[in-house]
Amino acid sequence: MALVVQKFGGTSVADIERIRNVARRVAKTYDKGDDVVVILSAMAGETDKLIGMAHTISENPNRRELDVLLATGEQTTSALLAMLLTEMGYPAESLLGHQADVVTDCDYGNARILEIGASRLRQLIQKRHIVVVAGFQGCDVKGNITTLGRGGSDTSAVAIAAALEADVCEIYTDVDGIYTADPNVCAKARKLKEISYDEMLNMASLGAKVLQIRSVGFAKKYNIPVHVRSSFSEEEGTMVVNEDSGMEQLVVSGVTHNKDEARITLRKVPDQPGIAAKIFSPVAEAGILVDMIIQNTRPGGETDLTFTVPKAEFQRAMEIEAQVATEIGAEKVYGDTEIAKVSVIGVGMKNHSGVAAVMFNTLSRENINIMMISTSEIRISCVVEEKYAELAVRVLHTAFGLDSDA
Ligand code: ADP
Ligand code: ASP
Ligand code: MG
C-alpha cells in the first residue's frame, strides 16, 4: 500500500465530464488499496478569465483581493470532484489551501510555501478518506489568502507530497510525459523515460511550462519522485528523478524556448568602476529579475551594456534605466520585446565539448542571428528574434539527434 499524490491540471478538469474522468482514476487508485491525496487546478482558462475580470476594474488590481478572486478557480474544481466521489460512494472531502495548512509568505500572486502542517491531511488519510486539496493557493501567517504564481498547482502537489512523505507525486496533464522539446512546437519531439531534477529545473526555468520550476525545486530538495503523465491514457509517462539513479546521460536531452523576456541596451556607457552597480541596483531594488547580461567594450573608454528582463517588467525597467542613463551619462537606452531565448540542456554536457559550436553552426545555417549567449555547466542559451523561436527549436532538435525518427 502506497501513499500517492495525484495532481490534475486545467485541461484535465476543464468540464464536469473531465472531472468525472478524474474521479474514476482516483477511485481506481483508491480501490487498489493506496491512499490518495488529490491536488486540483482550476478549469482550463478559468484563471485567465478571472484575471481579465479584475482588469476590467483596474489596470493594477489590489493584489490581496486578486488572490482571493483567483483562488476561487481551484475552490470550484475541488468541491466538484469531492462531490462526484461522494456520489460514487467514496469517503471524500475537499480542503482549501488554508484548511490544508499551506503556509506561505505574503507575496501575493507569487507566494512561496514556507511550511505545510499536514496534521489534518494525515488524520483524514488515516481514516481512509480521499482528500482533495485546492492547488495554487495557501495563506500567509495572518490568514490572508495567497496564490503561488502561474502553474502553481504543481508546486502545491509536490510540496504536499513532501510534507506527507508520499511514495510518488503524479502530475496528470494534457501531454503524456516530458518530451525533448514542447511536442506542440516540435512534432518530432521524443518522450523521455526519465529526466534528472537538475535537467528539469533548467527546462522549467528556460521555458518548458510542463512543470512549475518551484515544484521541481521541492522535488529535488525532498527527493520526491515525480511522474508526469497523461490524464487521458494509462500509458507510463516520464519520471523526474535523481541524476545518479542509473539513468542514461544524454549530451542534450532537451531544447526549450521562452518568449517571456525582453532586452534592454544602454549605449555608450562610461567604462568606469561602479557603473554596473549603478545600472543594476535600481532594477534589483524594484524587484525586477535580470537574466542575461552582456557588455561590449568600445574604443574610447565606453561600453554598451545589454541585459534581459521579464516582458511583464519591461516598461518599468525602461523607465528606471532612462533615469540611470541620464545620471551616468550614457548616450541612449533602447529596448526590444520581440526576442526569444532558445536553450539546449543536458547533464551529459559536463563531459562533452563542442555542444556550443554545434548550436551556433545550426542557427547560422538557418540564417538565424544570435543576439546574446549564456552558458552554464548543463545548458547553453541564445537570444534570437522572436519569429525564429520555433524554427530554432526544431533545427536544434534535429542537429542534436533528438528527432523521434532519427
Ligand atoms: P496543466 O494545465 O496540466 O498544468 P500545462 O499547460 O501547464 O498543463 O503544461 C503542459 C504543456 O506544457 C503541454 O501542453 C506542452 O505544450 C507544454 N510543454 C512545454 N515544454 C514541454 C516539454 N518539454 N514536454 C512536455 N510538454 C511541454
Ligand atoms: N490555475 C493556475 C494557473 O492557471 C494554477 C495552475 O493551474 O497550476 O496558473
Ligand atoms: Mg501547469
Side-chain angles (χ1 to χ4, degrees):
M1 202 188 77
L3 171 54
V4 183
V5 171
Q6 301 186 322
K7 176 259 173 179
F8 294 86
T11 36
S12 313
V13 294
D15 55 39
I16 297 287
E17 236 359 86
R18 291 204 177 163
I19 301 178
R20 207 182 288 282
N21 174 51
V22 169
R24 280 189 220 109
R25 282 202 94 123
V26 170
K28 204 168 149 193
T29 309
Y30 180 89
D31 288 340
K32 269 198 333 199
D34 291 340
D35 290 322
V36 198
V37 174
V38 187
I39 317 295
L40 292 190
S41 283
M43 291 182 181
E46 181 65 18
T47 309
D48 287 331
K49 200 173 94 192
L50 294 168
I51 292 172
M53 229 188 263
H55 281 281
T56 61
I57 295 174
S58 160
E59 227 177 81
N60 211 351
N62 179 281
R63 285 158 60 83
R64 179 185 183 279
E65 301 314 327
L66 186 60
D67 274 6
V68 176
L69 179 69
L70 295 192
T72 63
E74 274 72 9
Q75 175 162 353
T76 306
T77 48
S78 306
L80 290 170
L81 178 65
M83 222 178 260
L84 274 164
L85 284 166
T86 312
E87 277 305 301
M88 289 161 63
Y90 290 88
E93 205 163 324
S94 67
L95 292 181
L96 299 181
H98 71 274
Q99 295 171 317
D101 288 325
V102 179
V103 183
T104 71
D105 63 17
C106 53
D107 187 7
Y108 296 118
N110 195 29
R112 273 172 195 276
I113 296 178
L114 302 175
E115 61 167 319
I116 296 182
S119 59
R120 184 159 174 190
L121 278 165
R122 277 216 184 80
Q123 277 167 19
L124 287 165
I125 296 165
Q126 239 148 41
K127 289 199 282 179
R128 276 289 282 163
H129 282 220
I130 298 172
V131 196
V132 184
V133 183
F136 180 53
Q137 53 175 272
C139 75
D140 69 8
V141 285
K142 292 185 187 149
N144 296 301
I145 291 176
T146 54
T147 65
L148 310 179
R150 298 310 303 268
S153 299
D154 297 330
T155 302
S156 308
V158 179
I160 286 173
L164 294 171
E165 296 169 61
D167 295 283
V168 65
C169 179
E170 299 180 331
I171 304 282
Y172 288 86
T173 182
D174 59 356
V175 283
D176 56 9
I178 296 163
Y179 280 71
T180 46
D182 185 340
N184 290 315
V185 167
C186 180
K188 291 181 177 167
R190 265 196 294 138
K191 189 168 97 182
L192 295 162
K193 231 176 125 234
E194 46 191 16
I195 184 169
S196 72
Y197 293 127
D198 285 332
E199 283 171 310
M200 195 58 229
L201 276 172
N202 273 277
M203 295 255 286
S205 74
L206 296 167
K209 67 167 184 167
V210 59
L211 286 176
Q212 197 200 35
I213 182 165
R214 284 180 185 167
S215 71
V216 190
F218 265 104
K220 181 181 174 182
K221 185 166 172 195
Y222 296 101
N223 209 3
I224 304 290
V226 174
H227 186 180
V228 178
R229 58 192 308 187
S230 167
S231 287
F232 309 107
S233 87
E234 295 286 331
E235 219 179 295
E236 292 280 306
T238 304
M239 292 302 300
V240 189
V241 289
N242 230 313
E243 197 180 305
D244 41 45
S245 57
M247 62 187 294
E248 182 193 5
Q249 295 209 339
L250 295 169
V251 178
V252 170
S253 55
V255 184
T256 62
H257 72 288
N258 179 357
K259 296 181 176 179
D260 293 337
E261 283 180 36
R263 140 179 110 120
I264 296 178
T265 300
L266 278 84
R267 217 173 105 93
K268 289 198 179 175
V269 174
D271 196 2
Q272 290 159 7
I275 287 290
K278 286 200 176 107
I279 291 171
F280 294 111
S281 301
V283 272
E285 274 156 30
I288 299 171
L289 226 69
V290 171
D291 180 28
M292 294 162 94
I293 301 175
I294 52 169
Q295 182 176 353
N296 297 325
T297 309
R298 291 169 166 273
E302 286 166 332
T303 80
D304 291 346
L305 224 139
T306 304
F307 58 96
T308 62
V309 295
K311 249 179 211 169
E313 314 277 17
F314 175 69
Q315 278 314 335
R316 236 163 28 104
M318 281 293 280
E319 281 159 26
I320 292 170
E321 292 305 338
Q323 204 169 339
V324 170
T326 318
E327 281 163 25
I328 63 176
E331 185 188 83
K332 192 175 164 197
V333 183
Y334 55 90
D336 181 0
T337 55
E338 318 255 290
I339 61 160
K341 185 164 69 181
V342 182
S343 311
V344 300
I345 297 137
V347 281
M349 250 184 241
K350 284 182 197 170
N351 316 311
H352 271 81
S353 58
V355 178
V358 172
M359 183 171 193
F360 304 154
N361 280 319
T362 305
L363 295 176
S364 128
R365 265 199 303 278
E366 297 296 325
N367 251 326
I368 300 174
N369 186 36
I370 302 171
M371 304 181 206
M372 299 173 87
I373 300 166
S374 80
T375 63
S376 81
E377 211 184 10
I378 65 162
R379 64 121 167 164
I380 304 170
S381 301
C382 293
V383 170
V384 300
E385 266 185 85
E386 186 175 71
K387 65 180 178 195
Y388 294 129
E390 286 83 3
L391 172 65
V393 167
R394 287 192 286 266
V395 294
L396 290 169
H397 196 267
T398 305
F400 286 104
L402 296 175
D403 287 357
S404 51
D405 55 7

